[in-house]
């Protein structure tokens, strides 16, 4: 077993950026990814369009050319896949990391397939794997999903979509346009202010004309095989329902961070401790990169503002050599 300078956990855009920087600076490294290349992007809705323009999604100044100013999921997957293959990055796919332990100056990283040792570790695992659950009766029914892929499946069905941010609003509009009877369940007073600016007027117009029924200031209390039960300022209601898309956001794997020994803030934000100049955590040699740095504030970090983490971290590692 070769001792490495660096093990990168997560093969998304930021993990790939870290691998590129490590290779460029002559560090021995490997990237461990529990799924396919850019696994989170693969699990995005088929027709998803990024908020960012293509140049803001570029890593290592490698041009990203897209048909529109704001690229779509399939274009981004192809861009990052080509970076991995053309640069012959050392990436191990479908290899989930189960434990990280440190002894003196050496990390031991255990996966479902292998064991590695390294002087440094970067955690770039994002936040898309763990949905924020509703914690209501019936949430475990087969009709309930926390991820949305393709609107065709919901054609001619009664669909309740829970949420007010981009994923929920995109799903509501797409399902409506494929012939679904859409009910939008929103906990707050309005459609989320962070919804993509070219999409927000669309959903508001569809709600105002009655094409999509919106329930504001509303919470789900239970889900049954035939219905969804809600409570709102108008009282308790039961809506006839075939499928539920609970698109209420996602969160990082905090248990994994705590098991390693990363300190999290004591408030509900659970922001991990790290040096903003180096991205190094309270554990010497253990770094964070990408959206995982934001804890529950998953809207604070994106590809465009966290791609710089790669050079910050690698420069820190090199300064210690």
């Amino acid at each position: 077993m070769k001792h490495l300078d660096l093990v990168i956990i997560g093969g998304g855009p930021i993990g790939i950026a870290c691998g590129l920087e490590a290779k460029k600076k002559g560090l021995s490294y490997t990237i461990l990814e529990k799924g396919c290349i850019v696994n989170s992007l693969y699990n995005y809705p088929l027709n998803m369009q990024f908020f960012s323009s293509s140049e803001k999604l570029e890593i290592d100044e490698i041009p990203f050319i897209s048909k529109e100013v704001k690229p779509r999921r399939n274009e981004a997957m192809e861009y990052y896949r080509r970076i991995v293959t053309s640069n012959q990055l050392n990436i191990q796919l479908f290899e989930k990391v189960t434990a990280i332990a440190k002894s003196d100056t050496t990390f031991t990283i255990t996966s479902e397939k292998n064991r590695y040792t390294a002087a440094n570790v970067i955690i770039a695992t994002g936040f898309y794997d763990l949905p924020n659950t509703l914690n209501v009766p019936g949430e475990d029914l087969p009709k309930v999903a926390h991820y949305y892929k393709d609107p065709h499946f919901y054609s001619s069905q009664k669909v309740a979509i829970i949420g007010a941010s981009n994923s929920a609003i995109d799903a509501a509009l797409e399902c409506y346009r494929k012939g679904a009877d859409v009910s939008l369940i929103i906990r707050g007073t309005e459609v989320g202010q962070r919804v993509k600016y070219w999409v927000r007027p669309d959903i508001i117009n569809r709600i105002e004309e009655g094409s999509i029924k919106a329930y504001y200031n509303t919470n789900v209390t239970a889900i049954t095989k035939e219905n969804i039960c809600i409570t709102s300022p108008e009282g308790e209601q039961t809506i006839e329902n075939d499928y539920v898309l609970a698109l209420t956001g996602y969160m990082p794997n905090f248990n994994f961070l705590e098991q390693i020994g990363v300190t999290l803030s004591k408030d509900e934000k659970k922001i991990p401790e790290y040096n903003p100049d180096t991205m190094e955590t309270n554990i010497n040699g253990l770094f964070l990169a990408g959206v995982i740095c934001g804890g529950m504030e998953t809207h604070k970090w994106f590809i465009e503002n966290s791609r710089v983490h790669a050079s910050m971290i690698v420069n820190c590692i090199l300064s210690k050599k």
Side-chain angles (χ1 to χ4, degrees):
M1 180 173 60
K2 181 183 177 183
H3 181 71
L4 299 169
D5 293 318
L6 174 63
V7 165
I8 302 161
I9 302 171
I14 304 305
I16 291 169
C18 291
L20 282 170
E21 191 69 17
K23 181 177 181 180
K24 188 165 59 175
K25 296 296 177 63
L27 297 178
S28 59
Y29 74 96
T30 192
I31 304 170
L32 303 179
E33 167 55 55
K34 75 174 186 177
C36 61
I37 297 170
V38 292
N39 191 64
S40 290
L41 297 191
Y42 174 76
N43 286 306
Y44 281 178
L46 290 180
N47 301 317
M48 196 276 290
Q49 187 172 28
F50 282 85
F51 192 97
S52 302
S53 54
S54 56
E55 73 273 9
K56 292 183 178 180
L57 300 177
E58 293 174 355
I59 55 178
D60 201 35
E61 299 182 352
I62 299 170
F64 181 179
I65 308 301
S66 58
K67 292 180 181 178
E68 301 173 75
V69 173
K70 299 177 187 299
R72 296 185 179 272
R73 164 189 170 274
N74 62 329
E75 294 175 307
M77 286 196 304
E78 182 65 8
Y79 171 73
Y80 295 116
R81 183 191 69 81
R82 287 288 293 143
I83 287 176
V84 169
T85 56
S86 63
N87 287 277
Q88 298 181 320
L89 291 184
N90 185 5
I91 185 169
Q92 313 305 317
L93 300 173
F94 302 98
E95 186 165 340
K96 182 179 179 179
V97 172
T98 56
I100 300 173
K102 188 179 183 184
S103 177
D104 295 326
T105 59
T106 298
F107 289 94
T108 299
I109 302 95
T110 304
S111 76
E112 292 177 338
K113 296 180 180 180
N114 294 295
R115 181 172 292 178
Y116 305 83
T117 64
N120 302 278
V121 172
I122 298 175
I123 301 176
T125 49
F127 72 102
Y128 197 58
D129 292 325
L130 297 176
N132 295 322
T133 55
L134 301 171
N135 298 317
V136 299
E139 188 172 7
D140 58 348
L141 287 172
K143 65 184 276 188
V144 181
H146 290 281
Y147 296 90
Y148 162 73
K149 199 75 171 180
D150 190 336
H152 176 83
F153 181 84
Y154 301 101
S155 178
S156 301
Q157 300 294 292
K158 293 179 174 63
V159 183
I161 299 175
I162 306 167
S165 295
N166 280 298
S167 56
I169 300 309
D170 283 346
L173 288 168
E174 289 189 5
C175 289
Y176 154 68
R177 292 195 165 105
K178 292 298 182 181
D181 180 356
V182 176
S183 298
L184 189 57
I185 314 298
I186 296 176
R187 185 174 57 183
T189 60
E190 61 178 350
V191 171
Q193 288 293 332
R194 290 195 296 270
V195 169
K196 288 172 281 196
Y197 64 82
W198 65 93
V199 173
R200 198 169 189 274
D202 189 1
I203 188 67
I204 291 172
N205 288 335
R206 303 292 76 72
I207 292 168
E208 289 180 350
E209 72 186 15
S211 298
I212 293 173
K213 174 63 176 175
Y215 298 84
Y216 297 107
N217 299 303
T218 298
N219 290 296
V220 176
T221 56
I223 301 168
T224 69
K225 289 183 179 180
E226 295 84 17
N227 302 295
I228 180 170
C229 304
I230 61 173
T231 180
S232 69
E234 287 73 41
E236 297 183 358
Q237 299 181 59
T238 299
I239 304 171
E240 189 176 350
N241 171 258
D242 297 309
Y243 289 98
V244 175
L245 286 170
L247 304 179
T248 51
Y250 309 90
M251 61 180 169
N253 191 336
F254 294 116
N255 289 336
F256 183 63
L257 291 178
E258 290 179 316
Q259 288 169 6
I260 300 167
V262 175
T263 300
L264 305 179
S265 65
K266 302 300 183 183
D267 57 19
E268 70 279 0
K269 295 179 181 179
K270 295 187 178 182
I271 297 174
E273 181 180 327
Y274 65 92
N275 183 333
D277 296 322
T278 65
M279 309 310 295
E280 191 169 26
T281 68
N282 56 289
I283 301 171
N284 187 36
L286 182 71
F287 301 83
L288 302 179
V291 72
I292 197 171
C293 302
M296 287 298 293
E297 295 187 318
T298 53
H299 60 282
K300 292 291 183 69
W301 291 101
F302 306 95
I303 297 170
E304 64 183 77
N305 67 353
S306 59
R307 54 190 177 177
V308 297
H309 292 170
S311 59
M312 294 166 63
I313 293 170
V314 170
N315 287 339
C316 180
I317 291 172
L318 291 172
S319 71
K320 297 181 180 182
K321 280 199 162 192

